[in-house]
Amino acid sequence: MAMLEVKNLSKSFGNLKVLEDINMTVEKGEVVAVIGPSGSGKSTLLRCINQLEKAGGGEIKVCGTDMLLKNDSGKTVYADSKTLREIRLKTGLVFQNFNLFPHMTVLRNITEAPVCVLKKNKQEAQAKAMELLRKMGLETKAKSYPCELSGGQQQRVSIARALALNPEILFFDEPTSALDPELTGEILKVIKELAAEGMTMVIVTHEMAFARDVADKVVFMEGGYIVEQGAPEQLFGDSASDRVKQFLQRFNN
Amino acid sequence: MTSEQITTLFGLMLRYTVPTLKIFGFTLLYSIPLGMIVALLKMCRFKPVSWLTNVYILIMRGTPLLLQLIVAQYSVPYILQSSLCPGFLRSLLENVDIRSDSYIFNMMLIAFVLNYAAYFAEIFRGGIEAIPKGQYEAAGSLGFSKLQTFFRIILPQVVKRVVPASSNEIITLIKDTSLASAIPYMEIMYIAKKQVPTYASLMPLFIAGIFYFVFATVLTLLFSFIEKKLDYYK
Ligand SMILES: Nc1ncnc2c1ncn2[C@@H]1O[C@H](COP(=O)(O)OP(=O)(O)O)[C@@H](O)[C@H]1O
Ligand SMILES: [Mg+2]
C-alpha cells in the first residue's frame, strides 16, 4: 500500500511559487531521499505534508486517507479536522534544529505526546520511552535536560520523540545539517537502523553518500519542481538530467 | 522622640501594612491573568482588536498612575451625568454608594489592576514572542492541540523568560501602593503623613520608609530565589 501519495501539489508564498506540479509516491517500507539545492522547496514540501503549511492545490493522501483532495465541484479542500488530526498522528517529523522542549527532561520530551495526546498511561509511556532511549544509546540521559546534551544526542532524542507516537511514516528535514561534521555519523546510523527495521521514511538530506546507500528512491528538486526521481543508481549513476549531474558534481569534488 | 513614641509609631504602621498588602495582593491577583489576556489580545490577528488593545496599553503606560487613581474615584458621578451613558450602565451605577469604603477600595483596585495589567501585558507579549516558532511546530506535529501547546509547551517557557522583568514591576508595585494615600485610602503612607504634624518629626516618614524597604528587599530576595529555581534549563 502507498503510505504517501502526492499529486500535482502546488504552493505559493504570495507571488512566489515554491512548489509546482509535485508528484510522488512512497510505498510501505520505502526510504525516499529528497535532494536538491537550497531554496528548491524541499522543506516546504515536507511542511505541506505535515500540515505546517497550507498547500495551494493538488492532492495528498497519507496511508490511504485523503488529506488534501478535490471536492465534488473540483475545488481543492482539506479533509475535516478530525481526519487531519488522525493523519497528523500517523506522520512524524524530525526537524533540522531538533525543536526539543527545553523545559522538559529527555524522558518527558518523549512521553508528553503519548500521555497528553494519545492518553496513554504514564508508566506505559515511560517504559516505551526508555526502550526508545536504549535503542538510541541514550538510556543514561533520561533525566537530563536538552541543553545538557550534544547536538547529536538532542537529534536522537527528537527521533525517539517522533517514534514514541508509532508513526506510519517518518519525515526528516536535513536531520544532520545543524550538527558538527563528526556528529552526523551517529544520526545517519540511527536512520539506517530504522530503515533496516522497515520504517517508511522521507529524508531531505545533503549527505549524498548516505542517500545513495540507504534510499530506495531519490527525488531531485529544483526551483519548486521535481526534476527527476528514480532509483539511486539511476540518479547518481547516469542521470538523464544535466541539472542533476551538475548538482551532484559539486558533491563529488 | 522617645523610644516609647517610636514603638507606638511602629505598632501603628504595622497595623496599616494590612491595607497596603491588600492593595498589593489583589492587584497582582487580577493584573497578572488580565495582563496575559491583554497580551494575547494585542497579538490577535484581527487588527481592530489588536489596535484597540494597543490604545489601552498606550494610555495606561503614558499617563500617571496617580491621575488614573483619581479619575477612577471621580468617574461614577461623571458617567451618570453624561448623556451618552447607556441605560443598563446607569441603572447599575445608580445603586452605587460613592462614599462607601468598598466603593473607594474597588475603584482604586480597578485603577491599579488596569494600570499594572498594561505593563504585565507588554512583558508577557515579549516573552511569548521570544519563543521560537519551532516549538509550536514540534508541538503541532506531535498532535498537541492549540490549547495544550499553549499551556504545556509555551507558557512554562514564557514564565521563565518573564520572571526578571515581572519582578521589577512587582517591586515597583509595593512602592506604588503609597499613591493610594492621595485618594485618600488609609494605608502606611497615609498614616505616616498624618503623624508628621502630631509628632513634629520626620520619624513617621522614616519608619514608613523602613517598611517599604523591608517589603522591597524581601521581594528582591524571593525573586532571585525563584530565578535560581527556574535555572534548571538553558
Ligand atoms: N514562510 C515563508 N514565507 C515566504 N517564503 C518562504 C517561506 N518559507 C520558504 N519560503 C521560500 O520558499 C522557497 C523554498 O524554501 P524551502 O522549502 O525552505 O527550500 P529548501 O528546504 O529546499 O531549502 C525559498 O525561496 C524560500 O525563501
Ligand atoms: Mg530546507
Side-chain angles (χ1 to χ4, degrees), chain B residues 78-142:
Chain B
Y78 281 97
I79 291 173
L80 282 174
Q81 266 179 30
S82 160
S83 55
L84 290 171
C85 178
F88 77 93
L89 193 61
R90 188 179 300 274
S91 53
L92 200 75
L93 294 178
E94 265 166 359
N95 299 323
V96 171
D97 174 9
I98 64 168
R99 263 169 283 279
S100 71
D101 288 348
S102 68
Y103 169 82
I104 292 173
F105 182 78
N106 288 339
M107 293 315 279
M108 173 182 71
L109 190 60
I110 288 173
F112 269 111
V113 167
L114 289 179
N115 180 279
Y116 269 80
Y119 282 93
F120 282 127
E122 286 299 74
I123 294 172
F124 296 164
R125 186 180 58 90
I128 293 171
E129 286 177 349
I131 306 296
K133 219 174 77 204
Q135 292 289 305
Y136 294 90
E137 296 184 342
S141 81
L142 291 167

Side-chain angles (χ1 to χ4, degrees), chain B residues 197-229:
Chain B
T198 315
Y199 288 92
S201 156
L202 284 181
M203 190 52 87
L205 293 175
F206 185 75
I207 296 172
I210 291 176
F211 275 97
Y212 288 112
F213 181 81
V214 169
F215 288 142
T217 306
V218 167
L219 286 171
T220 306
L221 293 173
L222 178 70
F223 283 114
S224 65
F225 173 76
I226 292 175
E227 270 179 56
K228 277 214 193 73
K229 273 270 161 199

Side-chain angles (χ1 to χ4, degrees), chain A residues 47 52 85 88-89 91 95 99-104 108 112-113 116-117 119 145 147 161 165, chain B residues 132-145 148 152-154 156-157 232-234:
Chain A
R47 293 166 61 81
L52 296 176
R85 246 179 84 76
R88 189 145 230 191
L89 294 173
T91 62
F95 298 86
N99 291 335
L100 291 175
F101 305 131
H103 59 300
M104 296 180 183
R108 182 93 188 278
E112 191 73 358
C116 296
V117 178
K119 310 288 176 210
Y145 285 88
C147 61
R161 180 175 71 173
L165 292 171
Chain B
K133 219 174 77 204
Q135 292 289 305
Y136 294 90
E137 296 184 342
S141 81
L142 291 167
F144 289 100
S145 68
Q148 284 174 328
R152 292 182 173 272
I153 313 295
I154 305 304
Q157 296 183 58
Y232 61 90
Y233 70 90
K234 206 159 45 188

Side-chain angles (χ1 to χ4, degrees), chain A residues 19-20 27-28 72 76 101 115 118 139 143 178 181 186 194 215 228 232 236 248:
Chain A
L19 294 177
E20 272 284 75
E27 298 294 332
K28 192 169 173 59
D72 296 339
T76 302
F101 305 131
V115 171
L118 298 184
E139 63 271 35
K143 291 202 168 66
E186 59 189 68
L194 291 174
E228 188 175 354
F236 290 107
L248 290 174

Side-chain angles (χ1 to χ4, degrees), chain A residues 226-247:
Chain A
I226 293 182
V227 176
E228 188 175 354
Q229 56 181 318
E233 301 79 38
Q234 179 198 327
L235 265 94
F236 290 107
D238 186 28
S239 169
S241 157
D242 288 341
R243 280 301 303 134
V244 178
K245 276 186 194 158
Q246 243 177 43
F247 176 76

Side-chain angles (χ1 to χ4, degrees), chain B residues 136-181:
Chain B
Y136 294 90
E137 296 184 342
S141 81
L142 291 167
F144 289 100
S145 68
K146 286 243 159 64
L147 228 53
Q148 284 174 328
T149 302
F150 183 73
F151 283 105
R152 292 182 173 272
I153 313 295
I154 305 304
L155 194 57
Q157 296 183 58
V158 170
V159 167
K160 180 182 160 88
R161 282 172 197 261
V162 301
V163 161
S166 304
S167 65
N168 282 337
E169 282 310 319
I170 293 171
I171 291 164
T172 304
L173 173 60
I174 194 70
K175 293 175 285 179
D176 273 357
T177 56
S178 62
L179 292 171
S181 63

